[in-house]
Amino acid sequence: MASSSSSPYHLLFSLTVLLLLPLSSLSADPDPLQDFCVADRNATISVNGFPCKPISQVTSEDFFFSGFMKEGNTSNVFGAIVTPGNVLGFPGLNTLGISMNRVDFAPGGINPPHSHPRATESGVVIQGKLLVGFVTTNNVYYSKVLSAGQMFVVPRGLVHFQKNVGEGKAYAFTAFNSHLPGTVTVPTTMFATTPSIPNEVLTQTFQVEEEVINSIKSKFGA
């Protein structure tokens, strides 16, 4: 009797597990259904990735990328530059759910607070010393100063940054579980949009006078 009375609960549990199992596959880019799908970047339509280039047009060069060989130009307001290795410049990554960046820092340079809406990020410091930090949705701040060879991870969508706190230049490689993770950079998103976010929104948000907002906008050419 006990066995028969519990069977509906067993069935309900089994159905729940079956429904939840596919959710893990939604945590990153969809799994590919072929060996590869080299991006056709000339296509006029793309849905969650680029259409595949015809196999007859695929070459070895589609699977190799040399963009990380040279130091990036850090002559900008932040003293840092990101060299992306995503599907936009490396078509062989299309649908594979991975990409990388090289991030170069001048002394004192910062990769300012930003987030990646479509990917978790991991990274390793190759040269120099970086302060790496991120903030959770509960406004808890986690950080650590890392040296060459040390690794970090930033959960998907959380605001984070890296700042060079060493005496010389620094650089790191970062990796993502998306072929195009996207980047939302906080300062430029707030103060350098087109068209601009109204000053009345920004003054109320940051509780400052309009002159402060205009001063910040001017630093980003807005």
Side-chain angles (χ1 to χ4, degrees):
M1 292 293 293
S3 174
S4 62
S5 64
S6 63
S7 59
Y9 298 101
H10 293 160
L11 178 61
L12 179 60
F13 175 78
S14 299
L15 289 174
T16 302
V17 170
L18 289 173
L19 288 171
L20 290 177
L21 279 175
L23 293 180
S24 61
S25 66
L26 300 178
S27 61
D29 292 349
D31 289 334
L33 300 178
Q34 62 280 316
D35 288 344
F36 55 80
C37 174
V38 174
D40 180 359
R41 290 176 294 176
N42 295 320
T44 57
I45 299 177
S46 65
V47 179
N48 256 1
F50 290 90
C52 303
K53 181 189 294 187
I55 294 294
S56 60
Q57 297 178 21
V58 173
T59 70
S60 293
E61 291 302 311
D62 289 320
F63 301 102
F64 300 92
F65 179 73
S66 58
F68 295 157
M69 296 176 64
K70 296 181 180 180
E71 178 181 342
N73 182 2
T74 58
S75 299
N76 56 60
V77 294
F78 297 120
I81 190 70
V82 175
T83 302
N86 58 42
V87 69
L88 298 180
F90 189 180
L93 295 178
N94 193 43
T95 77
L96 298 184
I98 56 171
S99 60
M100 295 183 69
N101 287 344
R102 171 175 173 153
V103 190
D104 287 279
F105 301 83
I110 186 171
N111 188 12
H114 62 282
S115 65
H116 303 290
R118 296 187 288 273
T120 290
E121 173 181 348
S122 62
V124 60
V125 179
I126 305 300
Q127 176 184 318
K129 186 178 293 186
L130 296 179
L131 169 63
V132 179
F134 69 87
V135 180
T136 71
T137 54
N138 291 321
N139 286 333
V140 179
Y141 169 57
Y142 295 95
S143 68
K144 187 173 183 178
V145 174
L146 302 180
S147 299
Q150 291 185 293
M151 188 176 177
F152 63 88
V153 65
V154 178
R156 174 178 175 173
L158 297 187
V159 173
H160 60 285
F161 68 89
Q162 302 98 26
K163 178 173 172 59
N164 184 0
V165 293
E167 296 182 357
K169 296 179 180 180
Y171 76 96
F173 288 118
T174 56
F176 307 89
N177 61 334
S178 171
H179 68 205
L180 191 61
T183 302
V184 179
T185 303
V186 174
T188 53
T189 297
M190 291 286 95
F191 300 104
T193 59
T194 302
S196 297
I197 297 176
N199 278 6
E200 62 184 285
V201 173
L202 296 174
T203 55
Q204 186 173 3
T205 298
F206 293 102
Q207 295 294 291
V208 296
E209 300 299 323
E210 187 170 14
E211 292 75 13
V212 176
I213 298 299
N214 289 333
S215 175
I216 296 174
K217 284 184 173 181
S218 68
K219 298 180 186 300
F220 299 109

